[in-house]
Amino acid sequence: MNNQEYLTFVLGKETYALDILQVKEICSYEPTTPIANAPEYVKGVINLRGDIVPIIDLRVKFGIGQACYNEFTIVIMLNIENRIIGIVVDEVSDVIHINFADIQPAPDFGVAFDNAYLRGLTEVQDNMVIIVNINKLMTSKDIGIFAQMEIAAGATT
Amino acid sequence: MSVDLGQFHDVFFAETREHIQDMEALFVSYQPENIELESINRVFRAAHSIKGGSGMFGFSALTDLTHLMENFLDLVRKEKAELTSAKIDTLLAALDVLSVTVDAYENNEALDNSVISECKQQLSHLLDNCEHLEQADTDFGFFNTDDSDDFGFFATTEPSTDSPSNEPHDLHVHVATLTEESTNISTPANKQAMQQSIRVNTDKIDNLINIMGELVIADVMLQQVHCDTPKEHTQIHRALELINANIRDMQDAVMSMRMMPLSFIFNRFPRLLRELAKELNKEVNLDITGAETEIDKGMIEQLVDPLTHLIRNSIDHGVELPSTREEIGKPRSATVTLAAQQKGSYIYISVIDDGMGLHKQKILETAYANNLIKSMDLSDEDTWPLILQPGFSTATTVTNISGRGVGMDVVVKNIEALGGKLDIISESGKGATFTIRLPLTMAIIEGMKVACAGQTYIIPMHNIVESFRPTKEQVKTITDDYLINIREQYLPIVALHDLLHPEAYKPHPEESIMMIIEVGHKRYCLHVDNLLGQQQVVIKSLEKNYKAVPCMSGATIMADGSVAFILDVEQLALQTLQRTKQQLQHEAVDE
């Protein structure tokens, strides 16, 4: 139990990792249908074999690197609380084993994400990997996909 | 070996409810002067099935109640007891108690023992009365229930008229059609016409419908290929045409699995009518036609409240008292007709009464007094919809049945939530007709593709009245806003650009398309760039993976595999209204 598999991916210059059990699949980026009046980091929705799936660009949300879209741009489809959500990343690198003992606490600043969404830092072959608590991040108010009640109430007043 | 009976509970509860409904329909349609042994037998069998099932699962309250009912019905069947109107009332009350008890068992709630024991007493009372009667005119006190060909021991088993295939004990396959169980009591002759049916979990059917939806989308894509393929490839063309035809057939077949006959809800109304008529001292017959018309399962329950309301209205407001009816030369008993039929891709359900009709003058006066209209000079067609406004009631006295002015607007809301429409026709002194028009199914709709700022949106066809390119003369300007004049009527404009793509270039009305949209009884013009054609669209939920998006009722997948949003035309109008209000407030602050 203290050894889990993580998928590492690249945003800008940093390498991040997320729990592989939350990954549904990995696809290449396809043009989305933009949602009117949605925040800029919500790129829109795509058709994933009949499911309407929202695509979130974390690079736009957290101002990491350049948000470009080309044939190498990757979308990681995540299973979050029974929903499918896609996140745009620059590159998917590897599946790694991380031992809990090797995880150091995340610093209070210096990382693009609020450390509330991080599990910590670790080193893989001398490279720093930032371990993201993707479930907490995607369900957060910051991303605002799950804050339905609040947003729906706001729209009607 | 122990068997987990729990897995059969759901089936038992569902079947019990059907039996209760069946019994209710039979009791209500029962006429003392025209006794049909077969109908008594059916009620008896229904009670017996519930008794058997509940005994097996240990639902003793149900067993006790149905046992008493069964005993009494057995006496009726053997003509040892008379089924009077008062006794039917007792039995109907007992059915209510049964229903409540079934609910309680299903939800694991505490039983209302006082109600149950009171009901038992009432039923025992019925039996007591009969037993006196019975002992007086039979010689064999002990064997008084066995003058049929079964022996005293088996007096409570299946009547021998029943064929083995009809055994209601079987928990998985039951032999019945709901249409058959409608208000017309079936005679033994048409019993053979009963169809075989299988209980299937609705999740499985919904899953099948989802897959069907995917197939329809794939078919639309294939048809695109069909158009693009050179004519020489005749084999490909033939195959594609065949696939298309088969998919359409399959779509109809799959969709029909979700369909249920309206008799499922129509069967409740004879009782409602009977009770209402009694309460109001009116004489009313209920005529039901087209109960076999099928409608989407998801819609059927939503129709109960609107229909109940319309029927109450007809009896309370429409139908005159018997004495009044006689004075004006109408038959004493009024007739309320509940009619259903399918025309094209719509279902029409009408509540028709032969009462006094809507009182035009009174409606106009009330509407005028409430500032709903500016002039009293309105045509019939424009007058009737006024009663659908919130808070509207012309009833001179408020009864507990209708007249509080809440209701008709709620009825309209419920119907619109199903994508339907309510129409009213009325003729003074002759009666009124309320017709609900509903789309056949909610999962796949006809949609119009429109373009706005380079994006494609879908508008449900049933909301579109017409589309046109306005001429310069039709466009009127009031301060900064445009109005469209069409056939002497000014309609406000809702510009899709303003709501969804404020940053994009908005073409002048004369360079774009205006669509007249009807929501409820209100109309407005929707300003879009262009029309892109009509298409069947499969409605997909946005909330499944994302969240509700203002002005969008869902999404769909287009022929090229991309996603297009389906517009919520009602919200578009509301949002425009809000924006206008906000702008006015801002201007007021600026000044």
Side-chain angles (χ1 to χ4, degrees), chain B residues 151-334:
Chain B
F151 301 104
F153 297 109
F154 301 113
T156 55
T157 54
E158 288 298 300
S160 52
T161 49
D162 215 12
S163 66
S165 67
N166 254 347
E167 277 288 300
H169 286 311
D170 191 322
L171 289 171
H172 281 303
V173 179
H174 74 143
V175 183
T177 56
L178 286 162
T179 35
E180 261 254 316
E181 289 164 11
S182 70
T183 49
N184 296 325
I185 298 160
S186 67
T187 58
N190 63 23
K191 219 172 148 184
Q192 279 144 12
M194 284 185 177
Q195 290 164 7
Q196 201 114 19
S197 66
I198 308 174
R199 284 182 187 279
V200 181
N201 190 324
T202 46
D203 288 349
K204 284 189 185 171
I205 293 182
D206 288 348
N207 190 25
L208 191 63
I209 285 168
N210 281 340
I211 298 170
M212 192 62 232
E214 296 312 308
L215 204 54
V216 169
I217 292 162
D219 183 50
V220 174
M221 292 178 192
L222 266 187
Q223 295 319 307
Q224 194 64 46
V225 175
H226 188 164
C227 295
D228 300 343
T229 311
K231 281 207 176 88
E232 304 87 82
H233 302 304
T234 48
Q235 277 186 317
I236 293 180
H237 281 286
R238 208 176 301 145
L240 286 174
E241 269 160 27
L242 209 59
I243 286 179
N244 184 36
N246 284 331
I247 287 177
R248 291 289 146 131
D249 284 352
M250 197 168 146
Q251 185 188 335
D252 288 345
V254 169
M255 283 307 176
S256 76
M257 291 175 72
R258 257 184 82 97
M259 299 297 221
M260 288 176 102
L262 278 165
S263 58
F264 194 73
I265 53 168
F266 278 11
N267 283 350
R268 308 177 184 198
F269 293 119
R271 180 166 179 197
L272 173 85
L273 193 105
R274 183 176 186 267
E275 279 166 7
L276 271 181
K278 217 167 162 187
E279 192 175 329
L280 295 164
N281 294 322
K282 290 180 178 175
E283 287 177 24
V284 188
N285 293 323
L286 181 64
D287 215 352
I288 292 182
T289 62
E292 72 285 352
T293 311
E294 294 195 322
I295 188 162
D296 193 280
K297 182 182 126 288
M299 281 193 226
I300 202 157
E301 281 298 319
Q302 314 287 324
L303 276 174
V304 176
D305 285 349
L307 282 176
T308 307
H309 199 94
L310 290 176
I311 290 176
R312 281 169 180 239
N313 256 357
S314 283
I315 300 171
D316 197 15
H317 299 314
V319 169
E320 310 92 335
L321 289 167
S323 52
T324 321
R325 286 181 67 90
E326 268 180 344
E327 272 168 36
I328 53 174
K330 285 183 179 177
R332 261 184 85 82
S333 293

Side-chain angles (χ1 to χ4, degrees), chain B residues 421 437 459-468 486-487 489 491 514-520 522-524:
Chain B
K421 233 183 109 170
R437 190 190 78 173
I459 297 168
M461 281 302 278
H462 61 84
N463 289 117
I464 303 173
V465 181
E466 62 179 283
S467 314
F468 60 98
I486 177 155
R487 290 186 287 274
Q489 212 185 348
L491 292 177
M514 288 291 163
M515 307 178 88
I516 300 182
I517 303 289
E518 191 173 67
V519 189
K522 293 201 175 99
R523 286 180 177 194
Y524 67 86

Side-chain angles (χ1 to χ4, degrees), chain A residues 33-34 50-52 83-84 144, chain B residues 455 540 544-547 563:
Chain A
T33 302
D51 265 318
I52 308 287
R83 298 198 207 186
I84 310 168
Chain B
Q455 226 176 304
K540 301 256 172 192
K544 195 176 156 208
N545 294 316
Y546 188 58
K547 61 186 179 190
V563 179

Side-chain angles (χ1 to χ4, degrees), chain A residues 28-98:
Chain A
S28 57
Y29 183 84
E30 279 172 55
T32 61
T33 302
I35 305 170
N37 305 320
E40 209 191 334
Y41 60 88
V42 178
K43 297 306 297 173
V45 288
I46 61 146
N47 160 27
L48 184 71
R49 292 183 301 279
D51 265 318
I52 308 287
V53 173
I55 304 295
I56 309 288
D57 196 332
L58 295 176
R59 301 174 300 183
V60 177
K61 174 69 193 172
F62 295 107
I64 309 166
Q66 293 266 305
C68 61
Y69 305 94
N70 55 36
E71 64 264 45
F72 306 113
T73 311
I74 298 288
V75 175
I76 305 177
M77 293 295 173
L78 299 166
N79 274 319
I80 308 277
E81 310 277 316
N82 290 326
R83 298 198 207 186
I84 310 168
I85 298 165
I87 55 169
V88 186
V89 300
D90 288 318
E91 197 183 302
V92 170
S93 6
D94 210 350
V95 177
I96 57 168
H97 285 272
I98 297 178

